[in-house]
Amino acid sequence: WKMAVDRSWTFVRLAAAFVILAGFSLHQNRREAAYNIGTSLSLRSSHTAMATYPSSAFARMCLRGPSRSPRLRGLVGGLSAVDPAVKWLEANGYEIVGTGQAASGSGWASTEKLKAADGAEFFVKKARQPAQIMFQGEAIGLRALYDTHTIRVPNVLFYGDRTDGQDGSLIIMESLKIGGRSSAYEFGVDMARLHLATPSVKEAAAGKFGFPIDNTCGATPQPNGWMDSWTEFFRIRRIGHQIKLARDPKLNDLWQRVQEKTNNLQTLFEGIEVKPSTLHGDLWSGNYASVDGKTAIFDPAVYYGHHEAEWGMSWCAGFGSQFWEGYRSLIPEDPGFRKRAYLYEAYHKLNHYNLFGGGYYYDAYGLLERLL
């Protein structure tokens, strides 16, 4: 009888441990889902439909947690003439006739949709912090992409601090009408055209790597100071930066061994020429969608770098064979691409570890090990 009781208590303890672990896993997945929704900045939420492309199961593997596709409420009147977004738009020739809630927003910004008398619609985000902190990096990044005239990007009209006596800032951009389908092949071609375009910033056009300002990748600060060497830029400003944020002795030791083995990454790039390309910087399945039959990209972490670095989030992007066929029609695969892919993926896995913890540590560690 005593043995039976002991076994029963053992079973209860194991069951309780399972419930706790399951609860932790669900909590972690919800954190990641919140990040996925928050970092997409609710752009897709400002429209009546989600894009159906991509549809592969692989693309959905990184979208954990419950589905949350916010719905746009009908436009209503009763706008305040002192609303900073309305005031700016009307000062620039638009008669605003209605507004609607674009989504529930994120933890750091509220969103809304404004409609003009001529039918034009605008997506507005407001935050309590200054524009230099909240919106400058996004605005300048979107403009850098837009200025290449190669791929559909929302046009930023304005960003700045509020002028209505309240603290905070706002950004105004065109509202994308997301929905329908687009060609994966043409998306690949457009991304290749983006990477082949001459950078609009003089430093990058002259061969330097970086960006005029620092920005963020998700919620993580992303330093972008200009450097002449791509290997030095990625070694210091990307992987090295994430390793410092992780504060893990084992990761730091592995990173030191990788640098020694690859001569500070230089052996990974032997026999190829690296030129600065305009990069989206955080291209996963939540940051592109179909708009009027073409694929649009948004919510970037833009900088000028090696075009291959764009694919560090491919594990969470759902790019299929047609996409790669389109991309490779203009940019063939360089020797060593497969091994360098471990390096570029490691940056984003380290970033996810610094944001969420958990299994991303082992993913990042394993990717860096493959460089030895």
Side-chain angles (χ1 to χ4, degrees), residues 209-262:
F209 301 93
F211 202 60
I213 63 170
D214 294 341
N215 50 25
T216 61
C217 188
T220 307
Q222 183 169 259
N224 292 317
W226 295 106
M227 298 187 78
D228 294 319
S229 166
W230 169 247
T231 54
E232 286 297 279
F233 178 88
F234 205 80
R235 184 176 72 87
I236 297 171
R237 308 242 192 272
R238 292 296 178 263
I239 302 290
H241 173 63
Q242 293 287 349
I243 293 291
K244 287 181 179 179
L245 293 178
R247 298 179 181 178
D248 182 83
K250 290 184 179 180
L251 270 176
N252 186 68
D253 177 69
L254 175 59
W255 176 231
Q256 294 302 320
R257 287 189 286 129
V258 168
Q259 292 177 88
E260 293 171 4
K261 178 71 174 180
T262 62

Side-chain angles (χ1 to χ4, degrees), residues 195-219:
H195 292 164
L196 291 171
T198 300
S200 59
V201 175
K202 63 180 182 179
E203 289 87 351
K208 292 182 179 293
F209 301 93
F211 202 60
I213 63 170
D214 294 341
N215 50 25
T216 61
C217 188

Side-chain angles (χ1 to χ4, degrees), residues 32-113:
E32 294 183 30
Y35 164 81
N36 291 337
I37 293 168
T39 55
S40 74
L41 304 180
S42 302
L43 258 178
R44 292 173 297 156
S45 307
S46 65
H47 313 288
T48 57
M50 296 289 290
T52 56
Y53 172 81
S55 59
S56 69
F58 177 80
R60 294 192 294 269
M61 287 174 63
C62 56
L63 297 175
R64 303 180 183 177
S67 174
R68 292 173 56 191
S69 300
R71 296 180 179 179
L72 176 67
R73 297 193 312 209
L75 296 175
V76 295
L79 287 170
S80 169
V82 297
D83 180 276
V86 174
K87 186 176 181 180
W88 187 91
L89 287 166
E90 292 193 336
N92 285 272
Y94 295 99
E95 181 187 354
I96 302 303
V97 297
T99 183
Q101 175 125 10
S104 59
S106 66
W108 52 268
S110 62
T111 60
E112 64 182 355
K113 186 177 180 181

Side-chain angles (χ1 to χ4, degrees), residues 33-45 50-51 53-54 59 62-63 108 125 138 142 145 151-154 176 178 187 191 194 216-219 279-291 294-302 310-311 313-314 316-319 323 348 351-352:
Y35 164 81
N36 291 337
I37 293 168
T39 55
S40 74
L41 304 180
S42 302
L43 258 178
R44 292 173 297 156
S45 307
M50 296 289 290
Y53 172 81
C62 56
L63 297 175
W108 52 268
K125 287 191 298 185
E138 179 185 4
L142 284 169
L145 294 170
I151 193 167
R152 188 75 166 88
V153 178
L176 298 178
I178 290 178
F187 181 27
M191 287 302 302
L194 170 67
T216 61
C217 188
L279 305 181
H280 176 283
D282 190 20
L283 193 61
W284 64 287
S285 59
N287 286 350
Y288 67 88
S290 298
V291 176
K294 297 284 286 183
T295 302
I297 59 176
F298 37 80
D299 303 338
V302 175
E310 190 78 276
W311 314 124
M313 281 292 291
S314 291
C316 196
F319 302 130
F323 171 89
H348 289 279
N351 185 41
H352 275 62

Side-chain angles (χ1 to χ4, degrees), residues 123-359:
F123 177 67
V124 181
K125 287 191 298 185
K126 297 173 183 175
R128 295 180 179 179
Q129 294 179 285
Q132 185 175 1
I133 296 173
M134 298 307 303
F135 298 128
Q136 185 180 41
E138 179 185 4
I140 294 178
L142 284 169
R143 285 175 177 171
L145 294 170
Y146 188 88
D147 287 345
T148 66
H149 305 291
T150 58
I151 193 167
R152 188 75 166 88
V153 178
N155 185 24
V156 176
L157 303 177
F158 171 81
Y159 75 94
D161 293 329
R162 298 182 66 136
T163 58
D164 59 349
Q166 297 187 41
D167 293 334
S169 56
L170 71 156
I171 184 171
I172 307 172
M173 63 185 78
E174 66 171 312
S175 179
L176 298 178
K177 299 182 183 299
I178 290 178
R181 293 183 178 274
S182 56
S183 166
Y185 181 90
E186 291 301 323
F187 181 27
V189 170
D190 287 347
M191 287 302 302
R193 292 175 60 230
L194 170 67
H195 292 164
L196 291 171
T198 300
S200 59
V201 175
K202 63 180 182 179
E203 289 87 351
K208 292 182 179 293
F209 301 93
F211 202 60
I213 63 170
D214 294 341
N215 50 25
T216 61
C217 188
T220 307
Q222 183 169 259
N224 292 317
W226 295 106
M227 298 187 78
D228 294 319
S229 166
W230 169 247
T231 54
E232 286 297 279
F233 178 88
F234 205 80
R235 184 176 72 87
I236 297 171
R237 308 242 192 272
R238 292 296 178 263
I239 302 290
H241 173 63
Q242 293 287 349
I243 293 291
K244 287 181 179 179
L245 293 178
R247 298 179 181 178
D248 182 83
K250 290 184 179 180
L251 270 176
N252 186 68
D253 177 69
L254 175 59
W255 176 231
Q256 294 302 320
R257 287 189 286 129
V258 168
Q259 292 177 88
E260 293 171 4
K261 178 71 174 180
T262 62
N263 190 22
N264 288 334
L265 305 184
Q266 292 185 50
T267 60
L268 298 176
F269 295 85
E270 289 177 347
I272 68 167
E273 182 181 10
V274 179
K275 295 182 178 180
S277 292
T278 307
L279 305 181
H280 176 283
D282 190 20
L283 193 61
W284 64 287
S285 59
N287 286 350
Y288 67 88
S290 298
V291 176
D292 299 327
K294 297 284 286 183
T295 302
I297 59 176
F298 37 80
D299 303 338
V302 175
Y303 66 101
Y304 296 100
H306 187 205
H307 65 272
E308 292 178 2
E310 190 78 276
W311 314 124
M313 281 292 291
S314 291
W315 54 278
C316 196
F319 302 130
S321 59
Q322 289 187 334
F323 171 89
W324 286 111
E325 183 181 351
Y327 187 79
R328 293 301 181 203
S329 69
L330 296 182
I331 301 180
E333 183 177 311
D334 282 331
F337 167 79
R338 306 285 169 165
K339 190 166 187 178
R340 288 188 297 274
Y342 300 143
L343 177 72
Y344 294 138
E345 184 177 338
Y347 171 66
H348 289 279
K349 288 292 178 64
L350 284 167
N351 185 41
H352 275 62
Y353 169 65
N354 284 323
L355 287 168
F356 310 121

